[in-house]
Amino acid sequence: MAERRASKTYQSAVPNRSRAIQPIQSQEDAIMPDFANEAVFRRNTLPPRSYHIPETALSLNGLWTFHYASNPLKAPEPKAIPDERWSKIQVPGHWQLQGHGIPQYTNVQYPIPVCPPRVPTENPTGTYRRTFHVPSSWDHDSQLRLRFDGVDSAYHVWVNGFLVGYAQGSRNPHEFDVTAYLDRTRPNEVLLRVYQWCDGSYIEDQDQWWLSGIYRDVHLISLPSETRIDDWFLRTDLDPEYKHGVLNATIDVVTSTRATISLTVRELPQNGGGIVCKGAEDVSTSGTVELSIPIQDPKKWTAEAPNLYAIEISATTASSTPHNVSQNIGFRKVELKGGLICVNGQPIKFRGVNRHDHHPRFGRAVPLDFIRDDLLLMKTHNINALRCSHYPSHPKLLELADELGLWVIDEADLECHGFYDAVARPQNIPEEMDYEERKRRAFSLAAQYTSDNPSWKAAYLDRMEQMVQRDKNHPSVIIWSLGNEAFYGQNHKAMYQYAKDVDPGRLVHYEGDQKAESADMYSYMYPSIDSLIKLSKTEGVNSDGSFEKPIILCEYAHAMGNGPGWLEDYEEAFQAHPRLQGGFIWEWANHGLWKEDPDGKSYYAYGGDFGDVPNDGTFVMDGLLNSMHKPTPGLVELKKVFQPLKLVVEGDNLIVSNLYNFAGLEHLVATYSLEEFSERLSLDQTGADITVTGDNFTFTFDLTRGYLTSWVAGDTHLLEPDPPQAQPLSPPSGVPTDNDIRSSLPYWHRFGVNALTSQVRSVNVTTPSPDSPDAQVTFATFLTPPILDWGYLATTTYNISPAGVLSLTINLKPLGAYPPKHIPETKWFGLGPGESYPDKRTAQRVGIWSAGEVAELQTPYEVPQGGNRMGTRWVTLREPGARGAGCGLRGRGVDGWVCGDEEGFSFRVSRYGDAAVQAAKHPCDLVEEEATLLRLDGKVAGVGTGACGPAVKEDLLVPVGEMEFGFRLEPLGV
């Protein structure tokens, strides 16, 4: 049963405490507890309504008294007197982040046995209690409500010792009429018993931390009892020319006398606050009022121009104070037109992101200013769309989206991805199997647990109803979503029908409905570019080439670690194929939780760091922001790719294309600067031999082992041997990114790329002569791993000029990085200032860049990994001297050398060796080398999105094959 109310009807006020009050039953079913019964999800709650906290509301946030028990049977009785086992806890908040239990992270798999609706007997239970007074300024006969905007995962609530109700649905609000239970003259007590697991946990398997407790706002609300506005639904429409509008208002009224219901449309205060129009209707009984008010040429709402109007609704009687509510709205029309998602008649492109509610210290108890900063960052990085993944977000987020301008997909609190593992593992379905084949084998079976199970229909519908009713008045919400990764079944069809019956003015999304049977668009996750373009030409396409529904990507470009790649390629596909209406990057931010260990280490933790088993490790660290919600290089890259302008030079002309959906370019100002890239060089005369010595410099080679052992310029050792390998120049193995770990790292280890050794095959020394003043030392070395019988024949030629310039040429035939000590200042001519890879470089531009400290060149990824800068013409590393000139070295590409289509070389400057980075779980595990490590590469691979999605493009890999590249190294200031 969806909802059970108390059997007795109470009056609006309690004249004294002596009156007998009948509580509801302790549980709905005689056998199954409420929290393990899919038919019970709300008991004695009020109908869901639009989010609105009136001025007559008392916040119950703050310190509560708290008791933690391992299971419900050990929880204290509601009338028990608190003892030493009780402590204080902050509300909103999670008990795992306040010293009770531990956080647990899983992506897909359930952390509990899969036997819905039953949950573990050991079901941690938190009991919350606090006292409060009803404000004396409130009307004595007002209706009093307790509102909880978010409690994870289920709870019973008592008021003054009486059981008032039960609710579940962790990301949805619930209200209880507590008028009859409260004393307006004395202290009152509210007590909640919160269960970590309930049957609803099976459909709340979103990719995030499992955290429990009262984590959103709690209010005591006072509303008029005689005449009040209970709810309202404001819908806008536009004429066929999208010029003039109409406001359709449905207003739910409670009244016991004659009343006038009036509605006023005003400009916002910052726009003068003038009245635009009015409407009114008289009523004499409770019911629904329908108003339709035409408005001449209103300013339209879009994500680019979020024009809002203020609505005031008033219920007035002859004998009581008017009851007023307010709501901001925007005039816009959402529809499918010509098979495309259109707003105000214009097709739109989503340049969006997926966003969870997350704070590194408070979990999902996110402060409002933190949310506002998130949305401002989105707007300043050219993001125009937001998917609330995978549940309704903080209720005030949508007010900010209305104000700032974002297209929003609002998603029901529904995901049951873990049923896949429950089905796939017994069948021994490997992850490497083709995704479509895995779906064919497992998805229909997984859907039978809940999504295609009629006993769960009411629970599914409740989650759709809660979202729609709370958020229905926000113009930013243009699409409802039926949830995420919950397979597909009859219950989704019922959710779709509910949305269309209640709110036909919005579209409906669900990725699990692969054939868009009950969705208004086709939606996909992580397809390759080729697959996506093919789908746009074939899926749902009629014989004449027409189509009824568009395609979006609800998730793409997995932003884990040093990523994502492919951004330009996806954006090019969206622009080239109108049916592809954009998508939403996965995801906005890392979910690291701040952790301080007893040994003094502190870091942002991921799955397993709390001893949580099972867990999905680093997969929670996959955002464009780090856990403190500061941008990573991935967001910087995305801003450039998402920029709403395209600039192309054609001959002597600069072609500017406007990629906005609605706006012109009159609000933009173009500026330019002319930069000259040049630098003076300091050169010294030299001479050479096996120990090649010149004026103030010396090169020393080990002819028996085939490498340079030392380079001394003046009194400065520019190169010294790396202690583990006893050589300063050696072939690097490379540090994998998160995207490499799944697709590339196993092959690196399999073929021993991380364990190459060297064997000298030949040495050739060319001494200087009048015709050729340079000295040359050439080594033929075989680079090969243990166990295997393959390797590279590396022919390395060191050319030393009389000026002390070292040039290297390396030829690799299938059958290195220079560690100058204590050189902190880096300057380079190439792409910058940030990291760049073949598929992650758009945000960088050619220039002369500098970094005063090596740390400035190291992105502090919360899961340590390497970084790269490409397109480099030269790079200098300099140690400041006493007089400021300093000494150091410069690396250049050999004149005329080009690797493939790339101009310049790649470099990485770091204080961390490859092995140290790969071994570190967190930044605090990194141990700095005494030396500064310089790595030079002729060619590097892209980053791709292989952690979840397409790996590196084939043409952006570095294949095994013969290649040749070279560098020159020059001393500076010696």
Side-chain angles (χ1 to χ4, degrees):
M1 54 198 66
E3 183 175 356
R4 178 66 60 88
R5 298 182 180 273
S7 58
K8 184 175 180 179
T9 301
Y10 299 105
Q11 297 176 1
S12 298
V14 182
N16 60 69
R17 297 293 298 158
S18 62
R19 194 186 67 169
I21 300 175
Q22 179 183 348
I24 67 172
Q25 298 174 350
S26 60
Q27 61 185 46
E28 185 75 17
D29 185 90
I31 299 175
M32 298 293 292
D34 291 344
F35 57 78
N37 186 342
E38 75 272 26
V40 178
F41 40 85
R42 285 191 288 126
R43 297 180 60 204
N44 209 34
T45 62
L46 292 168
R49 65 173 179 88
S50 303
Y51 177 76
H52 175 71
I53 305 299
E55 293 182 0
T56 50
L58 174 68
S59 172
L60 298 183
N61 294 347
L63 284 178
W64 290 50
T65 305
F66 181 75
H67 179 281
Y68 180 77
S70 61
N71 62 68
L73 294 179
K74 293 184 178 181
E77 290 299 319
K79 296 184 179 181
I81 299 175
D83 55 24
E84 69 278 357
R85 293 172 297 175
W86 291 71
S87 59
K88 295 294 185 180
I89 197 168
Q90 187 69 38
V91 172
H94 298 283
W95 69 57
Q96 289 91 343
L97 302 182
Q98 299 185 65
H100 306 279
I102 60 171
Q104 184 167 9
Y105 166 64
T106 61
N107 171 23
V108 176
Q109 59 188 333
Y110 286 116
I112 60 175
V114 179
C115 44
R118 294 171 177 82
V119 297
T121 303
E122 289 300 300
N123 184 4
T125 302
T127 303
Y128 294 76
R129 68 194 310 164
R130 68 158 293 167
T131 60
F132 61 91
H133 287 81
V134 177
S136 59
S137 59
W138 291 357
D139 288 343
H140 183 69
D141 62 348
S142 62
Q143 183 195 52
L144 300 176
R145 301 180 176 190
L146 265 179
R147 180 181 179 90
F148 300 90
D149 276 307
V151 181
D152 195 320
S153 70
Y155 61 103
H156 286 94
V157 56
W158 285 260
V159 173
N160 292 328
F162 295 96
L163 180 60
V164 171
Y166 169 83
Q168 64 185 57
S170 299
R171 267 66 77 174
N172 294 320
H174 300 99
E175 282 186 340
F176 302 88
D177 184 348
V178 294
T179 309
Y181 300 91
L182 293 179
D183 191 319
R184 296 174 186 260
T185 63
R186 300 175 183 175
N188 295 277
E189 181 184 77
V190 57
L191 182 143
L192 266 71
R193 183 181 292 162
V194 181
Y195 311 101
Q196 179 164 337
W197 307 114
C198 72
D199 55 89
S201 301
Y202 288 104
I203 53 176
E204 292 177 0
D205 183 34
Q206 292 97 343
D207 175 11
Q208 60 181 346
W209 293 97
W210 295 90
L211 297 168
S212 313
I214 308 173
Y215 72 96
R216 285 183 182 164
D217 294 334
V218 183
H219 285 95
L220 177 69
I221 294 174
S222 172
L223 296 174
S225 60
E226 182 182 87
T227 300
R228 69 175 178 269
I229 298 164
D230 244 12
D231 198 10
W232 56 96
F233 187 9
L234 307 177
R235 307 172 305 285
T236 62
D237 200 1
L238 300 176
D239 65 17
E241 286 72 41
Y242 305 98
K243 180 177 176 62
H244 302 300
V246 62
L247 172 61
N248 296 308
T250 299
I251 305 169
D252 295 337
V253 179
V254 173
T255 187
S256 58
T257 186
R258 183 175 181 82
T260 299
I261 309 303
S262 59
L263 184 151
T264 303
V265 181
R266 293 180 180 272
E267 297 278 4
L268 294 182
Q270 58 265 37
N271 298 330
I275 295 176
V276 176
C277 59
K278 290 183 176 183
E281 184 174 314
D282 292 333
V283 298
S284 56
T285 59
S286 298
T288 299
V289 173
E290 299 283 353
L291 296 175
S292 184
I293 304 173
I295 300 181
Q296 294 297 305
D297 195 16
K299 290 174 285 189
K300 314 305 185 295
W301 189 97
T302 71
E304 295 167 12
N307 297 303
L308 293 171
Y309 290 87
I311 306 299
E312 299 171 358
I313 306 174
S314 181
T316 306
T317 68
S319 59
S320 62
T321 302
H323 181 219
N324 304 312
V325 297
S326 60
Q327 178 80 51
N328 288 346
I329 66 160
F331 282 86
R332 54 108 181 98
K333 182 181 180 69
V334 182
E335 61 189 329
L336 284 181
K337 186 176 180 181
L340 298 177
I341 300 169
C342 292
V343 178
N344 305 341
Q346 176 69 33
I348 61 174
K349 292 282 186 182
F350 293 117
R351 299 182 177 94
V353 293
N354 284 271
R355 180 193 173 277
H356 274 281
D357 279 345
H358 169 77
H359 188 280
R361 293 183 182 271
F362 309 138
R364 285 187 289 280
V366 187
L368 186 60
D369 59 351
F370 200 78
I371 295 174
R372 186 177 183 87
D373 288 345
D374 266 1
L375 270 58
L376 287 172
L377 263 179
M378 292 178 192
K379 292 295 290 187
T380 56
H381 284 79
N382 297 322
I383 291 165
N384 72 359
L386 167 64
R387 180 184 179 216
C388 296
S389 51
H390 301 291
Y391 44 81
S393 187
H394 187 292
K396 286 186 175 292
L397 177 142
L398 296 176
E399 294 179 14
L400 297 172
D402 294 344
E403 171 195 343
L404 298 175
L406 287 165
W407 310 118
V408 175
I409 295 182
D410 203 1
E411 194 151 85
D413 185 13
L414 176 62
E415 179 171 340
C416 54
H417 205 173
F419 291 133
Y420 171 81
D421 279 344
V423 168
R425 290 193 185 185
Q427 295 188 60
N428 198 28
I429 298 177
E431 288 297 307
E432 296 76 22
M433 180 181 289
D434 176 73
Y435 181 58
E436 293 302 319
E437 178 62 18
R438 284 190 286 141
K439 285 168 56 178
R440 187 188 67 79
R441 292 192 184 190
F443 276 30
S444 61
L445 294 175
Q448 293 175 16
Y449 281 97
T450 58
S451 293
D452 206 31
N453 184 339
S455 72
W456 287 77
K457 177 181 177 181
Y460 273 54
L461 279 172
D462 178 68
R463 290 170 185 257
M464 195 68 189
E465 180 185 12
Q466 294 283 346
M467 173 182 65
V468 170
Q469 294 300 333
R470 191 195 78 168
D471 298 340
K472 58 184 177 286
N473 290 307
H474 292 283
S476 56
V477 178
I478 64 171
I479 297 173
W480 301 120
S481 178
L482 308 182
N484 183 70
E485 293 178 322
F487 316 104
Y488 183 60
Q490 58 185 290
N491 297 335
H492 289 110
K493 296 178 181 179
M495 294 171 74
Y496 175 85
Q497 193 59 51
Y498 173 86
K500 287 300 182 180
D501 289 345
V502 172
D503 183 20
R506 287 183 173 97
L507 305 181
V508 176
H509 163 272
Y510 182 55
E511 179 267 341
D513 181 5
Q514 291 288 285
K515 297 299 180 182
E517 297 177 39
S518 49
D520 296 320
M521 63 210 71
Y522 294 90
S523 178
Y524 302 105
M525 295 182 179
Y526 311 108
S528 67
I529 299 295
D530 291 341
S531 297
L532 179 61
I533 293 174
K534 181 179 179 181
L535 286 167
S536 73
K537 297 178 179 179
T538 58
E539 189 64 62
V541 176
N542 302 317
S543 58
D544 62 357
S546 63
F547 52 86
E548 283 74 44
K549 296 180 179 181
I551 292 174
I552 69 167
L553 298 184
C554 64
E555 296 178 21
Y556 78 107
H558 197 260
M560 192 170 183
N562 189 348
W566 290 96
L567 293 176
E568 279 189 283
D569 303 89
Y570 280 110
E571 194 64 21
E572 288 174 3
F574 298 153
Q575 295 301 327
H577 302 274
R579 192 186 183 196
L580 302 178
Q581 291 196 258
F584 299 79
I585 304 291
W586 186 266
E587 67 173 309
W588 177 238
N590 290 355
H591 296 218
L593 291 173
W594 184 249
K595 187 171 188 287
E596 298 178 357
D597 287 345
D599 61 3
K601 287 187 175 181
S602 55
Y603 50 89
Y604 293 101
Y606 47 78
D609 282 332
F610 294 95
D612 46 311
V613 178
N615 68 78
D616 284 309
T618 63
F619 226 66
V620 76
M621 310 293 253
D622 52 5
L624 295 165
L625 306 182
N626 63 25
S627 297
M628 272 302 295
H629 288 221
K630 303 301 181 184
T632 70
L635 182 62
V636 177
E637 177 76 3
L638 185 71
K639 177 179 182 179
K640 184 65 167 64
V641 173
F642 275 6
Q643 68 181 8
L645 296 180
K646 183 178 181 180
L647 292 84
V648 178
V649 176
E650 294 183 1
D652 294 331
N653 297 317
L654 176 64
I655 308 300
V656 180
S657 300
N658 181 2
L659 302 182
Y660 284 107
N661 294 314
F662 299 91
L665 303 182
E666 58 274 4
H667 63 292
L668 300 177
V669 176
T671 61
Y672 69 92
S673 61
L674 182 64
E675 298 180 0
E676 180 180 358
F677 304 132
S678 63
E679 185 176 85
R680 295 185 179 182
L681 304 179
S682 177
L683 303 177
D684 297 308
Q685 294 182 347
T686 66
D689 204 338
I690 293 177
T691 297
V692 182
T693 303
D695 185 7
N696 207 27
F697 68 84
T698 300
F699 293 89
T700 303
F701 295 90
D702 185 337
L703 300 182
T704 62
R705 302 180 68 181
Y707 51 71
L708 175 68
T709 60
S710 174
W711 178 4
V712 180
D715 296 328
T716 303
H717 290 262
L718 295 177
L719 294 180
E720 288 184 342
D722 175 35
Q725 302 188 31
Q727 61 188 76
L729 300 178
S730 58
S733 60
V735 178
T737 68
D738 281 330
N739 290 316
D740 294 323
I741 289 173
R742 182 175 177 181
S743 59
S744 300
L745 187 60
Y747 296 95
W748 295 0
H749 289 174
R750 178 181 174 187
F751 290 101
V753 176
N754 61 317
L756 297 177
T757 64
S758 63
Q759 304 171 2
V760 176
R761 298 295 172 85
S762 65
V763 181
N764 182 55
V765 178
T766 302
T767 58
S769 67
D771 297 329
S772 179
D774 296 353
Q776 281 190 351
V777 181
T778 301
F779 296 101
T781 307
F782 189 57
L783 304 177
T784 181
I787 304 174
L788 304 176
D789 65 351
W790 80 280
Y792 281 104
L793 181 61
T795 303
T796 305
T797 299
Y798 299 87
N799 189 93
I800 302 154
S801 76
V805 176
L806 172 66
S807 298
L808 283 80
T809 302
I810 303 100
N811 180 278
L812 294 177
K813 191 171 184 178
L815 248 195
Y818 314 91
K821 188 174 183 180
H822 303 306
I823 302 182
E825 294 183 354
T826 307
K827 194 172 187 178
W828 73 99
F829 175 19
L831 287 177
E835 296 177 353
S836 51
Y837 291 83
D839 58 355
K840 185 187 170 188
R841 56 182 293 183
T842 306
Q844 310 308 314
R845 60 189 180 90
V846 175
I848 295 177
W849 310 100
S850 61
E853 298 288 342
V854 172
E856 296 176 25
L857 299 172
Q858 182 77 34
T859 300
Y861 292 108
E862 291 169 340
V863 180
Q865 47 208 278
N868 184 76
R869 284 165 172 80
M870 61 184 298
T872 310
R873 281 67 161 177
W874 53 255
V875 58
T876 65
L877 289 86
R878 186 185 293 270
E879 179 177 332
R883 299 179 182 176
C887 60
L889 60 85
R890 173 190 283 115
R892 293 180 180 271
V894 172
D895 291 341
W897 173 78
V898 176
C899 186
D901 297 328
E902 297 294 339
E903 181 180 357
F905 57 92
S906 291
F907 79 92
R908 175 177 177 239
V909 176
S910 177
R911 287 283 174 82
Y912 308 116
D914 291 352
V917 175
Q918 189 170 347
K921 292 182 62 178
H922 301 282
C924 59
D925 299 325
L926 290 169
V927 179
E928 286 193 355
E929 302 272 358
E930 290 189 9
T932 299
L933 307 177
L934 170 64
R935 169 176 171 166
L936 304 179
D937 279 298
K939 189 172 185 179
V940 297
V943 294
T945 60
C948 183
V952 179
K953 289 177 66 177
E954 190 72 27
D955 61 340
L956 297 182
L957 293 169
V958 182
V960 175
E962 184 172 354
M963 66 179 68
E964 185 169 307
F965 52 93
F967 307 102
R968 291 189 303 162
L969 300 180
E970 310 164 6
L972 299 175
V974 294

